[in-house]
Amino acid sequence: MKPKILLVNPPVYDFTAHDFWLKPYGLLEVAGFLRGRAEMKLFDYLDRTRMPATREKDKWGRGKYISEEIPKPPCLQEIRRRYQRFGLKREMFQKFITGNGPFDFVLIQTVMTYWYPGLKEVIEDIRHILPGAKIILGGIYATLCYTHATSLGADLIIRGTELSPLWQMLSIEPDIRQPAFWQGYWDLQTGTIRLSDGCPFSCSYCSVQSIYPAFTPRAQERCTHELDLMKSKNVQNIAFYDDALLHNPDICLMPFLQYVLSKQYKFNFHTPNALNARLITPELAGLMIKAGVKTFYLGFESMSEEWQKNTGNKVLNDDIIAAVNNLIKAGADTSNIFAYIIAGHPDHNIQKVRESMNFVHNLGINIMLSEYSPVPGTKDSTKCQNLTSIDEPLMHNKTAFTIRSLGESEVQQLKLLCKELNGRK
Ligand code: SF4
């Protein structure tokens, strides 16, 4: 008999959360490997198609989650923002597992390290309603905060991408050629995809190297199979989850986009994980636009050469100027080009945040302020210990850390400047 497995994407406890093409992709991929070998049900607390009150979406399929204000944890008391629980109601999950159980195994993942209270909530309900189920945790929190995760009461914690302990516990031989388990959703409007794992750079603020030790392209057949599956489910918007989407384009992105063109697929593709501007050649820009890439998020962070050098030189000012020119010449709409700038980084004194914002504005594109989170295991997180305790994942919260780093008034002023400059375009 096939084992019965429940897949759970937990609710989010945070000051802010928005559906920016967010899907529990790692969990869906693991479930994909189990296709035909287990009986599976998915409960995604962040599935907006099940949230009538916030079902409205923007033209690229993004939107708000339903939420309720909840008490702040003691370590975030001084942050003058509403702390909320985002996602479907707890009672819906309790009813779902009561009606669909029992399950032999429960697989849970979460992304941000400081979202672990959502995991705790799910584990409590499972232990209460499904006492016989084995609970397995995976994802970024479980990988980067392994010791902390052991306190939550799971039966197994998966670190990084080493999945053999999982297959052993399930007693299943996985089929790793299978695409992600998109059939878990009744109604799927946005999807995600990865053509590669890892990144050849090692920026001092980024955790990618702790999760994927090397850049590895994925098998094209599996990626195109996954695209066909999303097409059959009428998905309109797809976000690339690659960390280095433009690296080795001859074997990753270009053949994939050529496949899209050959099948005459009409998807809107998006790049929320940031593109490396240095790699946007005229040829690649042209192909991306022709195949349906609609939004371009460029990883920039700062125009300060000193800051760029200290953090790994992933991109220089000339790179971003050339990239924007190439995208515009290829026909990209400037209202859909964005450059990320970090706010609250521990070296903000040399980062020239305001000048960086003006630099981006003068290129005729949009600024995306991204609040810094001190990710454990990164070089830059060791510079944050005077402001926060890295051992407590709630203290990695990006809203809280940025306020602690810059002060409330400076954060407000930067947000206002961003709004003003983007509004002036
Ligand atoms: S280029 Fe991007 S993904 Fe790669 S290490 Fe730097 S920040 Fe991380």
Side-chain angles (χ1 to χ4, degrees), residues 199 201-203 205-206 208 243 314:
C199 176
F201 286 86
S202 52
C203 303
Y205 45 85
C206 178
V208 166
D243 297 302
K314 77 170 174 187

Side-chain angles (χ1 to χ4, degrees), residues 21-82:
W21 304 294
L22 213 56
K23 285 281 182 279
Y25 192 50
L27 180 71
L28 298 172
E29 287 196 287
V30 167
F33 297 154
L34 298 171
R35 188 179 273 107
R37 292 155 160 77
E39 202 185 312
M40 293 183 284
K41 293 262 182 221
L42 168 70
F43 191 92
D44 181 353
Y45 274 94
L46 301 180
D47 181 359
R48 281 194 318 102
T49 65
R50 301 178 67 189
M51 300 177 189
T54 56
R55 217 183 140 96
E56 198 178 320
K57 53 188 190 238
D58 71 10
K59 67 175 173 174
W60 306 131
R62 297 166 297 192
K64 292 181 181 169
Y65 294 119
I66 50 171
S67 65
E68 57 185 321
E69 187 164 356
I70 52 168
K72 273 180 242 176
C75 64
L76 298 174
Q77 277 307 319
E78 92 278 13
I79 306 299
R80 294 192 351 237
R81 301 283 161 87
R82 291 170 68 225

Side-chain angles (χ1 to χ4, degrees), residues 361-380:
H361 172 69
N362 290 334
L363 294 174
I365 61 169
N366 301 286
I367 304 152
M368 277 289 284
L369 266 190
S370 66
E371 291 164 318
Y372 172 80
S373 165
V375 185
T378 59
K379 191 171 150 207
D380 290 355

Side-chain angles (χ1 to χ4, degrees), residues 198-209 242-244 273-276 299 301 311-312 314-315:
C199 176
F201 286 86
S202 52
C203 303
S204 56
Y205 45 85
C206 178
S207 62
V208 166
Q209 301 275 349
D242 296 70
D243 297 302
N273 272 12
L275 299 170
N276 189 318
E301 323 309 349
T311 55
K314 77 170 174 187
V315 70

Side-chain angles (χ1 to χ4, degrees), residues 385-399:
Q385 298 184 351
N386 57 336
L387 284 170
T388 199
S389 157
I390 301 293
D391 295 339
E392 169 50 63
L394 287 173
M395 301 293 268
H396 309 160
N397 185 289
K398 65 181 171 54
T399 305

